[in-house]
Each structure stands twice: as structure tokens, then as C-alpha cells.
Amino acid sequence: MRLDRFDLNLLVALNVLLEERSVTRAAERLNLTQPAMSAALRRLRQAFNDELLVAHGKKMVPTPHAQSLAPMVADMINSAQALIASSTLFDPLTSHRAFRIAASDYITTILIRPLLGELAAIAPNVRIEIVPLSRAVEAAMERGAIDCMISPEQFQSAGQPQELLFTERHVLLGWSGNPIFARPVTQADYDDAGHVVVELSDARAFVEDQVRAMGDKRRIEVVTSSFTIVPWLLPDTNRIALVHERLARLFVDKLPLTYVDPPFAIPSMRETLQYHRSRATDGGLVWLKDRLHHHVGV
């Protein structure tokens, strides 16, 4: 197979097909019709003389040859993206780029939400795709399938550049009518109270790591997987929760809540932004990082 006879755009299609393992989802990501994506897969099969993806029940499974191609194809796509980014300027007013950001609902609420209001004015055609944090994100980062990941420092993947966005404190949040807040909260008050906690599917939340390392005597009454659900579970109850201070400040203006410092010291959380090393000179990503840093300080 000669390079001058091969449509390099097919490598983009192959990369997405191997990630999604679905013609339908791959077509959606590339804004193609399903017949067009099916046609691309046929051409790829002819070019590589291999089925590449085979049906297994309702799923598509990559062949051994496709699995061996996947990392090489991903590296080629990343290198091409880096080459294009280094030679072009990013104009937010005219760009139709989609940025994929891996972030928790906490970061989405306190940082990405205010950014979206700004984008409507300065980047009307830019699209933001928010990807939930999970173990799969690290692999997506390595493939260059996401533009950046925002998470506590210890959850970032090794080998990729990262930068500090902000540091965060944790506070004790509860209903403003909760008698525990009528006086300074003691360790005994804290231990005896009913607690609402966040348990994530793939990792323990930062504050949970800190509390359990100190010896946990809490009486946990409610467990949720969402940081932003916690404030809604506290009004009209005597339950309390350790939450991010920025989230607490946002919700005390919306719900009958109050917050105080916990009766013990919790290290500050370092929230960092990480991106693929090939994107370091990507004009669009440089612009996005600048806007995120701006909204941290707003």
C-alpha cells in the first residue's frame, strides 16, 4: 500500500472507530452519517487487508491486528494535531472547535459553568464536551482523545504535563437551623453528627482520603456519588458534610445553609490541569487554559 494512494483522513476514522468500537458512535463524533462511516470502515478493511472490527453480539471487537495498530494510529493523530496547532493561530470568534474536558461535577459547577457564559460572547461556535472522571480518562489522555483533565493533583496521570489551577479548602456545611452551628463545633460534635459523604466509583474523594487517614469515627447516614448533590441533602436535617469551600459559598446563597471550619486541620487540595504533551503549543488549548485560569480568580 503506497502512501500517496492512501487517504490519510481514514486514519482519523480508524482512530475513532477503535476508541468507540461502534460505527454509530464513531459517526456521531466525526459528524458523519452512519453510511459514510461504514464506507470508511470498508475502505480501511481493504487497505489493511484485515477486518479490523468484527461483530460480537451487539458489540464490535477489534482484531489482533487492529489492536496492534491502535497505539501507532493514536500517536500519528496526536503528532498531526500538534503539527497543525503549531502552525496556525486560534481565533475564538471564528473557531468551531470542540474541546473535551475531563472534570468532576464540582469543577463543572464552580469553574466550567461561569466559563460557558463568557464563551457565548467571545467564542460563540466553540463547543465544550465534559467527560466524567474515571479510570478510562487516563487512557484517553494517552491517546489524545481529551484536551485536558482537571482533578486533584494526586489523581493526575504520570508522564504528561500539568499545571496548578488553584488550591481549595474544605469546610463543614449544614442546614442553617442545625443546632450544631449554635456554638463552635467540637470534635465530639463532629463525630456524633450524621454525615453525608461522597463515594466515587473509581477513586476515593480527596477529603475522604484525608479524613480516613486521621481515623474516621463519623456516623455516615447518606452516601452519594455527586459533589453537587450534597448541599441539597442537608436542609431541614441535622446532617453535616465536608465540602469544597467554593461549592459551599455558591450554595449558601441558594439554600438555607451555613458553613464553618471543621474542628481539625485538613490539608489544602491542589486542583491541577493536565494535557497531552503533544498539545503544549496548541493555540486553542493555550487559549482555553488562559480562560480557565481567569475564571479561577473571578
Side-chain angles (χ1 to χ4, degrees), residues 8 11-13 15 72-82 143-144:
L8 293 178
L11 291 180
V12 177
N15 186 52
M72 292 186 286
V73 172
D75 284 344
M76 289 184 67
I77 298 299
N78 285 330
S79 296
Q81 288 173 332
R143 297 194 309 269

Side-chain angles (χ1 to χ4, degrees), residues 109-297:
T109 301
I110 63 103
L111 184 56
I112 298 177
R113 178 187 58 86
L115 170 67
L116 295 179
E118 180 190 35
L119 295 189
I122 69 170
N125 298 308
V126 164
R127 187 169 81 249
I128 301 294
E129 299 178 14
I130 302 167
V131 180
L133 291 174
S134 68
R135 288 195 182 98
V137 165
E138 184 173 351
M141 172 74 70
E142 291 297 328
R143 297 194 309 269
I146 60 174
D147 289 285
C148 63
M149 174 172 68
I150 304 173
S151 74
E153 187 174 44
Q154 66 270 35
F155 299 140
Q156 297 281 9
S157 60
Q160 303 292 358
Q162 60 180 268
E163 55 192 65
L164 178 67
L165 268 178
F166 60 90
T167 58
E168 177 69 291
R169 297 174 65 243
H170 281 78
V171 296
L172 207 56
L173 182 70
W175 176 43
S176 56
N178 188 336
I180 197 174
F181 296 116
R183 60 186 186 280
V185 178
T186 66
Q187 183 69 55
D189 294 332
Y190 172 88
D191 291 340
D192 291 342
H195 287 252
V196 178
V197 303
V198 174
E199 289 188 1
L200 306 175
S201 59
D202 288 343
R204 190 175 291 165
F206 172 87
V207 74
E208 288 301 306
D209 266 343
Q210 305 305 315
V211 170
R212 297 184 191 196
M214 292 184 287
D216 190 10
K217 298 180 181 178
R218 291 173 300 174
R219 183 160 51 83
I220 297 174
E221 293 186 348
V222 181
V223 176
T224 178
S225 61
S226 166
F227 294 109
T228 53
I229 285 294
V230 171
W232 296 95
L233 303 177
L234 299 172
D236 301 314
T237 80
N238 288 337
R239 299 185 183 100
I240 56 176
L242 285 168
V243 303
H244 310 87
E245 185 177 24
R246 284 175 171 81
L247 201 63
R249 289 204 306 261
L250 179 66
F251 274 93
V252 294
D253 290 334
K254 303 178 183 302
L255 296 170
L257 299 171
T258 190
Y259 68 89
V260 298
D261 288 337
F264 48 83
I266 300 176
S268 293
M269 182 180 73
R270 290 169 55 86
E271 199 76 16
T272 54
L273 181 148
Q274 187 170 47
Y275 49 92
H276 195 279
R277 54 188 170 272
S278 69
R279 307 280 180 88
T281 58
D282 179 340
L285 183 57
V286 170
W287 172 84
L288 178 65
K289 291 192 298 176
D290 176 74
R291 302 324 302 155
L292 289 168
H293 278 287
H294 169 75
H295 282 280
V296 166

Side-chain angles (χ1 to χ4, degrees), residues 4-81:
D4 60 356
R5 294 178 181 173
F6 182 78
D7 181 357
L8 293 178
N9 286 318
L10 288 175
L11 291 180
V12 177
L14 178 57
N15 186 52
V16 176
L17 281 164
L18 291 175
E19 287 179 5
E20 297 292 345
R21 301 188 180 188
S22 163
V23 171
T24 301
R25 291 197 299 272
E28 290 173 351
R29 271 186 57 180
L30 293 177
N31 293 317
L32 296 175
T33 64
Q34 188 165 336
M37 182 56 73
S38 295
L41 179 56
R42 284 196 299 271
R43 293 175 63 190
L44 284 163
R45 285 169 169 165
Q46 293 170 358
F48 287 100
N49 194 30
D50 187 85
E51 283 298 294
L52 299 177
L53 288 163
V54 294
H56 183 72
K58 295 183 178 180
K59 299 181 180 179
M60 298 195 79
V61 178
T63 65
H65 185 50
Q67 290 177 328
S68 70
L69 290 174
M72 292 186 286
V73 172
D75 284 344
M76 289 184 67
I77 298 299
N78 285 330
S79 296
Q81 288 173 332

